[in-house]
Amino acid sequence: MRPPRLRLHALAAAGILTGSLLVGLAGAPGIAAPAPTGTAAPRSAAAAAAPAAAVTHEAENAFVSKGLVESNHAGHTGSGFVNYDNATGSYVEWTVNAAQAGSATVNLRYANGTTTNRPMTITVNGTAVASNKAFNGTGAWTTWSTTGLTAGLKAGANTIRATATTANGGPNVDHLTVDAGSTPVPGTTPVGINGQLTVCGTKLCNQYGKPVQLRGMSTHGTQWYAQCLTGGSLDALAKDWNADVLRVSTYVQEGGYETDPQKFTDLAHSLIEQATARGMYVIVDWHMLDPGDPNANLSKAKTFFTAIANRHKDKNNVFYEIANEPSGVTWSKVKSYAEQIIPVIRGIDADAPVLVGTRAWSSLGVSDGADESETVNNQVSASNIMYTFHFYAASHGDEYLNALSRAADRIPVFVTEFGTQNYAGEGANDFATSQKYLDLMAAKKISWVNWNFSDDFRSGAVFKDGTCNSNGPWTGTGSLKPAGVWVRDRIRTADTFPTG
């Protein structure tokens, strides 16, 4: 019997995202296996982009609820500004047209002649992208300041609303500027090439029906390491690392989701949008560890996945990982849980693949002395699903490798987490065993995600300590630990996806 692999948090408390909230909204192997017959679409290391100019939207031309258009304070642009009523819920709403879906820089110009913060919540198309964003005093009503965020816009008309959240109302608002910036040219990113992925037999197949292998990174717990997930770090993951997929790990316990469901759901939304804007696939990971029986969090899981699916059902790049690492529980109970959660997702999002955790810390039962046969012979009653397998090379040798190999010939498997260290994600790296796994996964088209994209002190975190609080540098290998250098090299190896 193998001991459980603990996912421990950093000894020092990690910070949280500060400054602008980043939201994007849209619409490499060891030994590579031979490409299937047909035309392969090359993937560029950095997607081409099309620039767009900033557009100013005056507040006096927007829809105003509980406020007045005035012009008695100098320095405004246009014909005036909006003076919010001193009331919670007063707002200004702009309609912004976008030529195409993608991320945009949104700046709001305002004045606050008081010494009291007048916070507002900024929503895009009805979804909060910055809750209680600070609008501090500017020194005078004639002193104008600009604050910004990166938001996601859909193609066509969008609504952007700034709503006061206290009885003081909002500041005086002059205008909104929107710079669409750049979006990847279609057909140059993993999602642009492959489109909606589906399970075909034991493989993951693209929109052309061809088997593909995705390679990418998992976040650490977003309650600890959100500061590692910035526009710059995710740009590096997509363009410098050349990653296909980002796994977003929302811990249920351990200071995660259960402490503030709305906060962590919103953070998951944000990271899904950012991955989408960069043309990557995204795995929404319900990261349950303790208790190990996923049924203990069944009600919470239904609430979380309902919210996620409702928001992202029209995307073609989302995977739902419904139970990270079941432990101390029978496979029949894990299967029962899956058969209760999957219909909740399918009732909203009929197309996205669902990833089902397997027994004994997603080891297909091996860590409890069993093997893959319990899953193979008693599969979940659902279609378009894959089973997850996790390994840590310094702890999990040939017994695990052989189980993965046998299972992949019988059922669809996705390695949603692995490390080159021991089962705690720490200690010396075993790159030789890790490469054996990668060679097997390349040969059998098993997609994989490495743990983890943070600067946690353990050897399994790819960045050196302090990188995230220093905001990088994110590209190249200067900020990477040995495991980071090794896995980046294997993710970024030029990939081709078959299209014909």
Side-chain angles (χ1 to χ4, degrees):
M1 178 180 290
R2 302 299 192 274
R5 180 178 54 73
L6 303 176
R7 179 71 67 247
L8 304 173
H9 59 79
L11 294 177
I16 60 173
L17 278 175
T18 58
S20 298
L21 175 67
L22 297 171
V23 181
L25 180 65
I31 299 175
T37 302
T39 303
R43 227 185 82 201
S44 61
V55 178
T56 299
H57 302 267
E58 296 289 348
E60 63 269 24
N61 298 326
F63 180 83
V64 179
S65 175
K66 299 180 183 179
L68 296 173
V69 174
E70 297 180 345
S71 59
N72 56 322
H73 296 305
H76 62 77
T77 60
S79 61
F81 56 85
V82 171
N83 180 355
Y84 280 65
D85 287 353
N86 293 337
T88 302
S90 50
Y91 68 84
V92 177
E93 182 177 280
W94 295 264
T95 298
V96 174
N97 287 303
Q100 59 184 341
S103 60
T105 300
V106 177
N107 289 309
L108 195 149
R109 190 170 189 258
Y110 74 99
N112 180 358
T114 75
T115 58
T116 302
N117 172 30
R118 295 193 170 196
M120 298 197 293
T121 290
I122 312 300
T123 60
V124 176
N125 298 321
T127 299
V129 297
S131 298
N132 291 309
K133 184 173 177 63
F135 288 82
N136 293 310
T138 58
W141 292 110
T142 55
T143 301
W144 299 89
S145 182
T146 299
T147 185
L149 58 147
T150 301
L153 302 181
K154 63 184 180 181
N158 299 263
T159 58
I160 301 178
R161 180 183 292 188
T163 304
T165 58
T166 71
N168 290 324
N172 288 351
V173 172
D174 184 21
H175 66 236
L176 191 75
T177 61
V178 179
D179 185 350
S182 62
T183 56
V185 173
T188 63
T189 67
V191 177
I193 296 168
N194 293 299
Q196 179 68 62
L197 301 177
T198 56
V199 179
C200 55
T202 60
K203 308 299 182 187
L204 186 63
C205 293
N206 64 13
Q207 62 184 328
Y208 305 102
K210 303 296 184 181
V212 296
Q213 183 196 36
L214 304 182
R215 308 172 186 87
M217 291 298 302
S218 176
T219 73
H220 204 313
T222 54
Q223 75 273 40
W224 299 311
Y225 292 100
Q227 74 275 19
C228 297
L229 305 169
T230 70
S233 71
L234 294 177
D235 280 344
L237 184 63
K239 299 174 184 179
D240 179 51
W241 291 51
N242 214 25
D244 305 316
V245 58
L246 172 71
R247 181 184 188 235
V248 176
S249 293
T250 300
Y251 278 65
V252 186
Q253 278 76 42
E254 299 183 78
Y257 175 87
E258 69 175 6
T259 67
D260 192 339
Q262 190 61 55
K263 171 186 173 182
F264 287 103
T265 301
D266 287 345
L267 185 50
H269 285 323
S270 172
L271 292 167
I272 294 165
E273 305 286 17
Q274 292 186 69
T276 301
R278 290 163 175 81
M280 290 189 289
Y281 291 94
V282 58
I283 298 170
V284 184
D285 165 34
W286 183 242
H287 205 88
M288 42 73 55
L289 283 171
D290 184 14
D293 182 353
N295 293 284
N297 286 306
L298 178 60
S299 177
K300 295 183 181 73
K302 287 182 176 180
T303 299
F304 175 74
F305 283 113
T306 296
I308 295 295
N310 274 321
R311 170 75 176 267
H312 306 287
K313 60 187 176 183
D314 294 326
K315 293 181 172 64
N316 63 353
N317 64 322
V318 176
F319 292 79
Y320 300 92
E321 185 175 0
I322 59 175
N324 167 56
E325 290 185 347
S327 64
V329 63
T330 63
W331 168 243
S332 63
K333 288 187 176 181
V334 178
K335 178 176 179 286
S336 173
Y337 165 82
E339 290 172 350
Q340 294 176 76
I341 287 292
I342 292 172
V344 172
I345 296 171
R346 286 281 181 260
I348 305 167
D349 186 344
D351 300 321
V354 173
L355 308 178
V356 179
T358 58
R359 191 169 71 86
W361 301 279
S362 283
S363 70
L364 291 166
V366 180
S367 285
D368 272 352
D371 61 28
E372 75 287 351
S373 61
E374 66 178 21
T375 305
V376 170
N377 296 330
N378 188 21
Q379 296 181 39
V380 171
S381 180
S383 60
N384 202 26
I385 67 170
M386 307 186 83
Y387 298 89
T388 69
F389 185 80
H390 296 176
F391 71 87
Y392 282 76
S395 295
H396 303 144
D398 287 346
E399 183 182 7
Y400 289 77
L401 180 68
N402 293 337
L404 172 61
S405 179
R406 293 190 304 267
D409 292 336
R410 301 285 303 281
I411 57 176
V413 180
F414 197 129
V415 173
T416 56
E417 192 177 307
F418 85 89
T420 58
Q421 314 78 29
N422 66 19
Y423 62 79
E426 59 190 13
N429 293 291
D430 186 343
F431 293 136
T433 299
S434 299
Q435 190 62 56
K436 288 174 64 177
Y437 274 101
L438 262 62
D439 291 346
L440 171 71
M441 292 188 290
K444 298 200 174 190
K445 289 286 187 182
I446 302 170
S447 296
W448 56 258
V449 173
N450 179 257
W451 181 272
N452 66 78
F453 199 66
S454 82
D455 63 352
D456 177 60
F457 66 91
R458 295 172 180 80
S459 54
V462 297
F463 293 111
K464 295 176 181 177
D465 295 8
T467 299
C468 298
N469 286 338
S470 300
N471 195 27
W474 303 114
T475 58
T477 59
S479 296
L480 299 179
K481 295 175 185 173
V485 174
W486 188 89
V487 74
R488 171 182 175 271
D489 183 58
R490 281 146 184 82
I491 291 174
R492 77 192 306 263
T493 301
D495 194 11
T496 57
F497 291 121
T499 61

